[in-house]
Amino acid sequence: MIIDRNASVVPPRFTDKRLRKAMGTCIARADHEDLLASFLWVHEGQIARDIHGFLERHRDRVQRERDHAEQRGEGEFSDPPLDEDYVNVAWDTEVQLDKELVLAQAACDESTKQQQTMREDYGDAAKIRERYTRGAEPTPSPLEDLIKIWDACIDASIRVNNILAEDRHRTHAIARDEARMLAYRTSSCSLTLKDIRAMHHAQFEHTVAELARRDGYTIKRAHGGAGDLGADVIAIAPDGRTRVVIQCKHTRRGATVGSPALQRLNGTARQVHFANVVVAITNGYYSGPAKKFARSQGITLLGPPHLEEWATWGVPLSKILEDLR
């Protein structure tokens, strides 16, 4: 091949004479087809490097987001009772990103392997020319495999975007609920456990009924008394179908509610009051046998932590019951 010294692209003039001579010999032997084959091979390599760079950036992004989720899962974020919700979201995100990170690292490893295969052919001019010669035996190209890996990585990137979007959505919902709870806590409607302990048992029953009414329940009975057959409060859920029967057990001294009280409730709640959901609520505590009996009969037990969520922070009863299912 003849070099036009006036062309815009010319070979470098190496200072070492031996190197200049070696390069000159190579150029003299080259023809147009050698140049085209070399050009194609160089650009295949460039595409391979670009794909590998994309895979590495994706992997590094997943690693960063996964580490961030882990840090959030270990941190303290807000006043009770929402800390656990933040942590659960972070943990869910971390678990999903852990799976994506394994796939991302495997893609990078496979890309490195395919690039190494290409490097092994680099420098063998005859082999490279043969690769592109018309009618030559088709040779599987590592680039074909890299393109498949790239396509899979694009899909993975979309999955990661969806994971992070869901994380933001859930975290935002928690923050919104927290703001509402903090506003409720500072309002005149908020009742502390101390306030509840100071109540008369009849006032406690009315309070439970009013809290349910606040949450959109229709109150059919607001307090118990003689002949209540274990049902102090009867409420219809906002869906208009679910009938909730509540037995209230108030104490000023942290007394324990035993299983006999729950057995009486269980005997009438569904058969007499047609309950879909049976609830016992106390500002005291439940005995071990009472908890065991409630589990066996499908009775939902609300204690001081649930009362604090409901009365102090304004968490809706439906959410509390749903969380306890």
Side-chain angles (χ1 to χ4, degrees), residues 63-80:
Q63 182 72 65
R64 287 194 304 272
E65 296 293 352
R66 183 260 173 215
D67 291 346
H68 179 57
E70 181 182 34
Q71 292 170 2
R72 287 163 46 212
E74 295 174 350
E76 299 266 335
F77 293 93
S78 63
D79 290 332

Side-chain angles (χ1 to χ4, degrees), residues 243-245 262 265-266 269-270 275-280 290-301 321 324-325:
R243 190 176 181 88
V244 182
V245 172
L262 299 184
L265 172 64
N266 189 59
R270 295 183 179 88
N276 303 111
V277 178
V278 183
V279 177
K291 293 177 181 178
K292 182 177 180 180
F293 179 80
R295 284 194 298 270
S296 69
Q297 300 300 314
I299 299 174
T300 301
L301 301 182
L321 294 178
L324 289 174
R325 286 177 184 172

Side-chain angles (χ1 to χ4, degrees), residues 2 65 68 80 106 111 135 138 147 187 194 198 219-220 248 266 313 315:
I2 300 174
E65 296 293 352
H68 179 57
S111 173
I147 289 294
S187 73
K194 182 179 179 180
I219 304 304
K220 296 297 185 180
C248 303
N266 189 59
W313 294 95
V315 177

